Amino acid sequence: MVLTETKPAAPRMTWMDLVRGGAILLVVFWHAASVPDQLLDGAEPGYYVRKLNAALGPFRIPTLLVLSGLLVERSLAKGTWRYVTGKLRHVAWPYAVWLTIIFATMGWLSSLTHVKVWVSGGILWYMVALLFCYAAAMLRPRWMPWLLFAALPLVVLWLAEPGIPILDRYLWYGAFFFFGAAVGPHLATIQTRMPIWAAALLALVTLGGGYIVAKRLLVSQTPEYLPVSLAGILFVLRLAPRIPRWPPTRLLEWYGRNSIVMYVGHAFASYATVRVLDVTGTENMPYVIPLMMIMTFGVPTLLVLARRRIEWLFVSPELRRSRPAARAPRHLSVTTP
């Protein structure tokens, strides 16, 4: 018998699940208010909901992308095949499945014949941004620091000014993904050695920036908003490991572990609810926004609970490389006359 030493699995970073869960619920809250506002007449969220959603704008998706970027080096180290197939199975597959389901629900299936629809992603654009970031990460020269690589999309965005909304969006948010990769090697320092005064300064910039954004009701892809987002993310990275684990935080961790299910599920729920309200002619009723809140939080939660039975909706079957059949030893080979 030959004994081989195996490395123990790395412990799960529960603080990362906590942050991811919080961020994904903020995305759900945003769409519960914004989707009916965009697609239905008269279904406007209240004044304070608008202000709150605007204030959180610099932090929701950027935080999710930084968290993904923190793990990209570990993913790349698994090898090209596992890296590519992993992203296809866990990101591209649920994106394709749920974009099709959503468009079928809305009666837009014919639109899926246009490449632009798949590239823009509609309400699922975050998953397309992830795929572009994962693909771009494979192209980074080994000599180039991640921080420099993170600056490249911003240079293109601000100096070249493409002026193409889809491209501008992916350049802007891609920078956060690669910033996460740059932060990765220094994460322990940020979480354990950052002085209190530095954390307080980050919190001040975060609160001040959020207040300004709430007043303007706008987050633009311009240089003055970048420090606000980065300050908020760095502050959360320092704070998260210090938050005690108790039932509410464990619930957020649970949502964080199932963030893709929550993301695609809430997108479907928001559009399906809007479709029903539109067909039944009840889109002007005063309960639209509360109903959207219930559905966009409730439906994906039920999908998470049922995930084991419907896993194929969120992860594709495993892709295996075909290997040539091993040849039998010559003395065991069978020959036919």
Side-chain angles (χ1 to χ4, degrees), residues 33-69:
S34 64
V35 169
D37 189 24
Q38 295 168 3
L39 300 181
L40 297 175
D41 295 328
E44 297 183 0
Y47 173 82
Y48 291 106
V49 172
R50 283 185 180 274
K51 291 289 186 181
L52 179 60
N53 268 327
L56 296 171
F59 313 109
R60 286 184 297 255
I61 296 296
T63 298
L64 290 171
L65 287 165
V66 166
L67 293 177
S68 295

Side-chain angles (χ1 to χ4, degrees), residues 19 55-60 62-63 66 172 175-176 179-180 183 190 194-211 213 223-240:
V19 176
L56 296 171
F59 313 109
R60 286 184 297 255
T63 298
V66 166
W172 170 257
F176 291 101
F179 176 76
V183 167
I190 292 171
M194 180 186 292
I196 294 179
W197 65 264
L201 181 60
L202 290 174
L204 185 63
V205 173
T206 302
L207 292 173
Y211 174 77
V213 172
E224 63 266 26
Y225 287 97
L226 185 64
V228 175
S229 296
L230 296 183
I233 293 167
L234 289 173
F235 176 72
V236 168
L237 291 181
R238 185 190 187 278
L239 177 65

Side-chain angles (χ1 to χ4, degrees), residues 273-296:
T273 305
V274 163
R275 177 69 167 168
V276 171
L277 291 171
D278 183 45
V279 169
T280 57
T282 55
E283 68 271 17
N284 293 319
M285 297 298 177
Y287 56 73
V288 169
I289 298 301
L291 176 63
M292 288 293 295
M293 293 289 178
I294 293 171
M295 295 302 291
T296 52

Side-chain angles (χ1 to χ4, degrees), residues 26-252:
L26 292 181
V27 173
V28 174
F29 182 76
W30 156 250
H31 282 142
S34 64
V35 169
D37 189 24
Q38 295 168 3
L39 300 181
L40 297 175
D41 295 328
E44 297 183 0
Y47 173 82
Y48 291 106
V49 172
R50 283 185 180 274
K51 291 289 186 181
L52 179 60
N53 268 327
L56 296 171
F59 313 109
R60 286 184 297 255
I61 296 296
T63 298
L64 290 171
L65 287 165
V66 166
L67 293 177
S68 295
L70 284 171
L71 302 174
V72 72
E73 279 277 19
R74 183 186 301 180
S75 296
L76 287 168
K78 295 177 181 178
T80 303
W81 174 259
R82 290 186 62 188
Y83 179 82
V84 172
T85 56
K87 306 316 171 190
L88 290 176
R89 294 181 63 226
H90 293 89
V91 184
W93 173 267
Y95 168 65
V97 169
W98 286 93
L99 189 68
T100 303
I101 291 174
I102 291 170
F103 272 55
T105 302
M106 300 301 291
W108 301 339
L109 271 179
S110 60
S111 301
L112 294 179
T113 58
H114 303 289
V115 175
K116 184 179 179 180
V117 171
W118 291 98
V119 174
S120 63
I123 193 173
L124 300 181
W125 67 265
Y126 160 70
M127 301 179 76
V128 185
L130 265 183
L131 290 171
F132 275 120
C133 290
Y134 284 129
M138 297 177 65
L139 304 178
R140 180 188 67 98
R142 292 188 177 183
W143 54 264
M144 182 179 290
W146 281 110
L147 192 59
L148 178 58
F149 201 66
L152 292 181
L154 297 178
V155 170
V156 174
L157 176 64
W158 294 335
L159 298 184
E161 298 182 352
I164 304 171
I166 297 173
L167 179 59
D168 290 350
R169 172 190 285 174
Y170 295 151
L171 289 172
W172 170 257
Y173 286 104
F176 291 101
F177 179 92
F178 299 120
F179 176 76
V183 167
H186 311 286
L187 184 61
T189 300
I190 292 171
Q191 294 184 330
T192 61
R193 299 182 183 178
M194 180 186 292
I196 294 179
W197 65 264
L201 181 60
L202 290 174
L204 185 63
V205 173
T206 302
L207 292 173
Y211 174 77
I212 293 172
V213 172
K215 288 193 67 175
R216 297 180 180 178
L217 289 175
L218 175 69
V219 180
S220 63
Q221 297 158 354
T222 50
E224 63 266 26
Y225 287 97
L226 185 64
V228 175
S229 296
L230 296 183
I233 293 167
L234 289 173
F235 176 72
V236 168
L237 291 181
R238 185 190 187 278
L239 177 65
R242 293 170 168 78
I243 298 176
R245 299 186 70 196
W246 56 306
T249 58
R250 290 179 185 273
L251 179 61
L252 286 178

